[in-house]
Amino acid sequence: MIIANLRSSSFHGGPEHQILGLGRALSQTDEVVSILFSEGGRSRPFMERCLQNGIDVVELKHRNSHIMAMVRELADALRDRSADVLLCHGYKADLIGFLAARRVGIPVVAVAHGWTSENTKVRFYEFLDRRIIRRVDRVVCVSEGQAARVRASGVDSDRVTVIRNGIMAEGFGVSAPEYVESVARMFPAPPAMIVGSVGRLSPEKGFGVLVSAAAIVSRSRPEVGFVHFGDGPLRQTLAARIEREGLRDHFVLAGFRSDVNKYYPSFDLFVLPSFTEGLPTVVLESYASGVPVVATAVGGTPEAVADGVDGFLIPPGDPNALASRILQMLDLGEERKAMGRRGRDRIRIEFGFDVQATRYRRLFRDLGVGRSTAATLSTE
């Protein structure tokens, strides 16, 4: 079976992690190709990552202003690769992918990672996306929370399948001394404890709430340092807010790092203050590193965080609740570390890419493609 993934990728985020991990798992039995919109060359870093992981790549050249030319180019690529099924990741991929797959006559699956409502332009495209996905053969939702939103948008329940995000846990959890030292050197004085966060600096991620919570924590625990890995349109706004809150020595915006997995073990606690999520890969990565989590109870996050067992859930947009849970977690000592270990054990059992790949193969069988994998499925 030949499985094609379609993505518009201008930076390496959660969907890109999933495409890579699932691609590696599926390629044990099938052929996988990543078809990527060029985006003026911004997709090149992800193309390189795909090739490094043994996943073939096709780059689409036509720009957004030539929609039907994009459809024809994608249809030609699908024919050239003899693709059996197309997985679309994101609103642009859903539209172009749906039209091209119908031309070629292969099933098309929209993978709903989550809608962000980041700005007016994105909200318009996501409005269109909600209508496009009503017509695809199947919508895969990365969490039950996202599935509820997809059904509410008008997609028939019998065409909605939940396949949760996965993680390659063996790539996390090794605490290299040089990375621990690197984080400590980011601060004027090495903090006694580190609260870490990872993600794109965009409105839906709620990192402004984390800055406010950090100001509350720092008043009673000035020895605590906050470090964020990631970049985005709100970087300058958040940097100015950190300055206003008097957190210059306590809150570091470390920027995007391709090796961020090596930094997780230096955290004493991981925080995700999002207003919306599909199923956050960063939470899975934190648990794979043995680090407990405080996160907002939005979207699929409650499916990843077992409240009171391996972390805590809080309401979104409440810096006081976030600060209170951070302080509580930092005071737990050995129990906090035990919570991280419980999260690590659960993630390795429930969220592996091998589990995810098995569920995708079952979906492909239900769609009538890849019947040669039936024998494989019967033994898994």
Side-chain angles (χ1 to χ4, degrees):
M1 180 167 54
I2 300 174
I3 304 152
N5 285 286
L6 180 64
R7 173 71 174 162
S8 171
S9 177
S10 56
F11 67 98
H12 193 90
E16 285 75 14
H17 283 291
Q18 296 306 306
I19 291 170
L20 285 178
L22 177 62
R24 285 191 296 259
L26 288 173
S27 63
Q28 301 300 312
T29 56
D30 300 291
E31 183 178 337
V32 179
V33 57
S34 290
I35 304 177
L36 303 173
F37 298 102
S38 177
E39 304 300 351
R42 294 192 302 276
S43 64
R44 295 290 169 77
F46 184 53
M47 291 181 189
E48 291 299 322
R49 292 291 295 273
C50 288
L51 293 171
Q52 290 166 8
N53 283 271
I55 299 173
D56 197 11
V57 172
V58 173
E59 181 180 8
L60 301 177
K61 303 292 188 180
H62 281 94
R63 292 182 173 274
N64 296 350
S65 56
H66 300 88
I67 291 179
M68 294 316 298
M70 295 169 69
V71 171
R72 288 193 296 272
E73 184 181 18
L74 174 57
D76 289 343
L78 294 171
R79 290 191 192 97
D80 289 345
R81 297 305 175 105
S82 300
D84 294 301
V85 62
L86 178 64
L87 305 182
C88 300
H89 304 261
Y91 49 78
K92 181 176 179 178
D94 288 345
L95 171 60
I96 306 302
F98 169 73
L99 295 173
R102 286 292 181 262
R103 283 192 174 206
V104 178
I106 62 173
V108 57
V109 177
V111 183
H113 295 275
W115 291 308
T116 67
S117 302
E118 179 180 335
N119 53 45
T120 302
K121 180 180 177 181
V122 169
R123 284 193 291 273
F124 172 71
Y125 286 135
E126 290 178 345
F127 168 81
L128 294 180
D129 192 42
R130 287 175 169 86
R131 279 141 186 82
I132 295 164
I133 63 174
R134 296 174 187 172
R135 303 178 64 187
V136 301
D137 296 294
R138 195 69 61 91
V139 181
V140 168
C141 299
V142 300
S143 66
E144 293 289 353
Q146 180 63 17
R149 299 176 71 187
V150 166
R151 294 187 191 101
S153 74
V155 179
D156 293 338
S157 294
D158 61 357
R159 291 193 298 110
V160 176
T161 300
V162 175
I163 303 178
R164 291 188 176 92
N165 282 343
I167 187 172
M168 191 167 288
E170 57 268 28
F172 296 83
V174 179
S175 183
E178 61 268 28
Y179 284 91
V180 176
E181 293 168 5
S182 174
V183 172
R185 288 196 301 270
M186 294 177 184
F187 298 86
M193 305 188 81
I194 298 288
V195 176
S197 56
V198 176
R200 187 164 185 259
L201 296 176
S202 52
E204 78 281 1
K205 294 298 183 180
F207 289 116
V209 178
L210 178 55
V211 173
S212 297
I216 297 171
V217 171
S218 294
R219 285 197 285 270
S220 60
R221 298 287 296 273
E223 75 279 11
V224 176
F226 291 78
V227 60
H228 177 83
F229 291 93
D231 214 334
L234 293 185
R235 182 182 177 87
Q236 295 304 318
T237 300
L238 291 174
R241 189 166 180 174
I242 288 168
E243 189 74 22
R244 288 197 306 272
E245 294 282 6
L247 293 170
R248 179 192 296 181
D249 295 340
H250 303 282
F251 201 121
V252 175
L253 296 177
F256 174 81
R257 306 290 176 96
S258 60
D259 57 351
V260 70
N261 60 304
K262 302 290 182 63
Y263 286 95
Y264 280 98
S266 65
F267 303 158
D268 295 285
L269 175 65
F270 182 84
V271 174
L272 184 66
S274 302
F275 290 102
T276 181
E277 285 289 349
L279 195 151
T281 301
V282 291
V283 167
L284 306 184
E285 293 174 345
S286 181
Y287 280 139
S289 303
V291 179
V293 174
V294 173
T296 47
V298 297
T301 304
E303 298 167 49
V305 178
D307 191 30
V309 177
D310 48 37
F312 286 111
L313 293 168
I314 59 167
D318 189 339
N320 290 302
L322 178 54
S324 177
R325 283 302 194 190
I326 290 173
L327 288 168
Q328 179 184 358
M329 286 287 273
L330 295 180
D331 287 337
L332 286 178
E334 287 302 317
E335 174 57 21
R336 183 187 68 254
K337 296 176 183 178
M339 294 175 81
R341 290 192 295 270
R342 288 195 288 269
R344 180 182 58 204
D345 294 342
R346 186 169 60 85
I347 289 301
R348 289 179 173 176
I349 295 171
E350 298 180 22
F351 293 90
F353 278 120
D354 54 342
V355 175
Q356 188 187 66
T358 296
R359 291 170 180 165
Y360 267 99
R361 291 189 187 104
R362 188 169 292 119
L363 168 64
F364 298 150
R365 181 189 63 188
D366 291 345
L367 289 174
V369 296
R371 295 192 183 279
S372 62
T373 64
T376 303
L377 280 168
S378 67
T379 63
E380 292 176 330

